[in-house]
Amino acid sequence: MGKRIISQNRGKGTPTYTAPSHKYRAEIKHLKFKPGETITAEIIDIQHDPARNGPVALVRLPDGRKEFVLAVEGMGIGDVIQAGENVEIKPGNTTYLKNIPEGTYICNVENQPMDGGKFARASGTYAIVVAHEEDRVLVQMPSGRLKWFDPKCRATIGIVAGGGRTEKPFVKAGKKFHKMKSKAAKYPRVRGVAMNAVDHPFGGGKHQHVGRPKTVSRNAPPGRKVGSIAARRTGVRK
């Protein structure tokens, strides 16, 4: 019998493809504050989180509780950050998009109000507030795309710490191996064309080649759904 292709194995939910979330620090979200309220927190530590490639900051709240927040560039131990309606526009502070001036660099932007932050969370990334309207705010995403948001969506001011991470090469396979151990991914991953015909749709043949169209239908069965799935177009764009 042939082996399941990776997409089928991943869907089965085995430990190989399950993220080791028991090693993660916490679910990183914005500090909670009520309308009209402003919370002040002191940064007591900067730590590495296996769940992400950028550092996280451990903060102490006025009531003594400790929480993790996304670290931004320029943030250090002993600094004070604020979250609320009326905060100073400086790196590390969190407020509503409607209160952030145009041209400001922001990160950890919410998709819906109070969801904790969904966009621009990777190390070195940021979004830019472009324009305000009465019932929506235009933000330029890290990809360059422009997206409208609810004015009550929250965001943190600044650029996510850990920028330049991708500029350093892995150099050896062992470095990549240890990086992937903390992700929900399998490494190393064998190419389909290097397999036998019984193990993968791209396998087999006298030399390593796909041997059939790489583009498949969205409705293809799981054992065939490999390559360019439901591609709108293929080839080199000129």
Side-chain angles (χ1 to χ4, degrees):
M1 293 212 25
K3 293 177 287 185
R4 285 187 174 90
I5 61 175
I6 284 181
S7 59
Q8 289 175 300
N9 221 351
R10 182 180 287 116
K12 190 178 177 182
T14 58
T16 303
Y17 300 98
T18 303
S21 54
H22 60 282
K23 298 180 182 178
Y24 296 172
R25 298 287 182 205
E27 188 176 1
I28 307 299
K29 292 188 175 183
H30 290 305
L31 297 176
K32 292 182 179 180
F33 58 88
K34 300 175 183 177
E37 181 185 24
T38 299
I39 297 175
T40 301
E42 180 188 2
I43 301 170
I44 57 177
D45 198 10
I46 304 290
Q47 299 182 8
H48 170 69
D49 184 2
R52 61 190 61 255
N53 298 310
V56 293
L58 181 63
V59 301
R60 182 189 292 119
L61 298 172
D63 58 3
R65 289 185 298 112
K66 297 179 182 178
E67 289 190 23
F68 283 101
V69 297
L70 206 62
V72 302
E73 290 184 1
M75 185 181 283
I77 297 174
D79 291 350
V80 174
I81 60 173
Q82 291 181 318
E85 184 87 43
N86 301 309
V87 300
E88 183 183 353
I89 304 301
K90 73 170 191 177
N93 287 353
T94 301
T95 187
Y96 298 114
L97 284 176
K98 64 181 181 180
N99 299 331
I100 302 176
E102 296 169 5
T104 305
Y105 287 0
I106 57 175
C107 61
N108 201 16
V109 186
E110 291 184 327
N111 187 36
Q112 300 292 334
M114 301 302 293
D115 68 13
K118 300 295 182 184
F119 300 114
R121 291 162 59 95
S123 58
T125 60
Y126 60 89
I128 304 173
V129 178
V130 176
H132 291 83
E133 289 190 3
E134 185 177 350
D135 59 346
R136 57 183 186 171
V137 177
L138 185 63
V139 175
Q140 182 179 344
M141 307 298 283
S143 64
R145 175 190 167 207
L146 297 175
K147 180 175 170 64
W148 291 101
F149 287 90
D150 188 306
K152 292 184 179 179
C153 285
R154 298 172 298 173
T156 299
I157 297 158
I159 302 171
V160 183
R165 169 182 53 85
T166 57
E167 297 171 8
K168 180 181 179 181
F170 283 105
V171 179
K172 59 182 185 177
K175 295 274 189 179
K176 187 69 174 284
F177 173 81
H178 289 296
K179 173 183 183 285
M180 301 303 287
K181 286 291 282 185
S182 63
K183 311 293 181 185
K186 180 176 170 59
Y187 180 85
R189 180 171 176 173
V190 178
R191 292 169 296 131
V193 292
M195 298 181 186
N196 294 323
V198 72
D199 297 324
H200 197 277
F202 293 172
K206 300 217 172 196
H207 60 273
Q208 290 186 5
H209 69 296
V210 175
R212 59 171 69 195
K214 281 187 66 176
T215 305
V216 297
S217 166
R218 173 72 68 195
N219 302 318
R224 176 71 185 96
K225 215 166 187 180
V226 292
S228 302
I229 300 172
R232 290 188 179 92
R233 58 173 293 160
T234 58
V236 179
R237 180 172 295 186
K238 296 181 180 179

